[in-house]
Amino acid sequence: MDMDGVLQQIGQGGKQQIKYGLALCLFKVYSAFHTLQYTFVGRSTSFKCFTVNETLTDQCLGNQVSSCINLTFSESTIVADWSLVCDRNWLGKATMSVLMLGFLQGALVLGKMADRFGRKSILMLTLWGLIISNLLSSITADYAVYMVSRFLVGFFVAGLTTTIAVLVSEL
């Protein structure tokens, strides 16, 4: 019997395949929010730099955060939490770079692991990894811990998306 004959006997995809497909699509949508997160938590915010002689708005004396006696921000973001302005501005952008590095590593490592250990187990590993990494990034007050958690989020998002892509194609 050829493949067409087998497909005619077993029929088209049913309700269960549609349920699995929808659940996998929801997981895929969830992963996009991690990439978009920086737009909201890392946005630039207005600040005032108080020096000995003057108050500067949205700038630092000599472009050095250390020249400010006090910094006040108009809203709470990671930029405000860790004073990522002036000469420290690049540190805010580095969080997205670390996320992208996590994407690269996760796609390479977790894709192979899914082939070796099974897609369902890797899917569960990536979902739990995302939950824990996101929890860590939301409660930490330390920049280095935040960077590690963002790398792990990227790592697990890449594993999630590659695993879902293969599972959807196998429905």
Side-chain angles (χ1 to χ4, degrees):
M1 183 179 280
D2 63 342
M3 189 65 166
D4 290 332
V6 170
L7 288 175
Q8 283 179 344
Q9 266 194 325
I10 64 172
Q12 296 290 328
K15 292 179 183 176
Q16 196 64 30
Q17 282 82 8
I18 293 171
K19 288 178 188 176
Y20 288 153
L22 288 174
L24 291 171
C25 286
L26 285 174
F27 289 144
K28 186 83 167 176
V29 168
Y30 172 67
S31 64
F33 290 113
H34 301 290
T35 308
L36 298 173
Q37 176 194 14
Y38 180 76
T39 307
F40 301 103
V41 300
R43 68 185 179 280
S44 296
T45 181
S46 180
F47 69 96
K48 289 187 179 185
C49 169
F50 296 95
T51 64
V52 176
N53 300 329
E54 60 187 323
T55 300
L56 303 169
T57 302
D58 294 334
Q59 61 182 346
C60 301
L61 189 64
N63 201 33
Q64 298 289 318
V65 172
S66 59
S67 68
C68 300
I69 296 171
N70 187 19
L71 278 171
T72 58
F73 293 87
S74 60
E75 54 188 331
S76 179
T77 64
I78 62 169
V79 172
D81 289 345
W82 294 306
S83 301
L84 303 179
V85 293
C86 300
D87 62 323
R88 296 174 46 91
N89 186 29
W90 69 274
L91 292 170
K93 313 297 189 264
T95 60
M96 185 55 95
S97 298
V98 166
L99 180 75
M100 293 298 158
L101 184 63
F103 284 165
L104 174 68
Q105 294 296 317
L108 294 173
V109 172
L110 292 173
K112 288 183 181 186
M113 285 179 65
D115 289 339
R116 175 175 254 170
F117 300 113
R119 292 180 222 318
K120 182 181 176 186
S121 59
I122 297 301
L123 182 66
M124 295 310 293
L125 172 77
T126 57
L127 286 171
W128 279 109
L130 274 173
I131 290 168
I132 293 167
S133 300
N134 278 323
L135 182 65
L136 180 63
S137 72
S138 69
I139 63 172
T140 187
D142 185 54
Y143 178 78
V145 173
Y146 182 76
M147 291 289 275
V148 169
S149 69
R150 293 306 292 163
F151 174 83
L152 290 173
V153 165
F155 185 82
F156 290 121
V157 165
L160 182 71
T161 55
T162 54
T163 303
I164 287 174
V166 174
L167 283 172
V168 167
S169 71
E170 291 175 347
L171 284 179

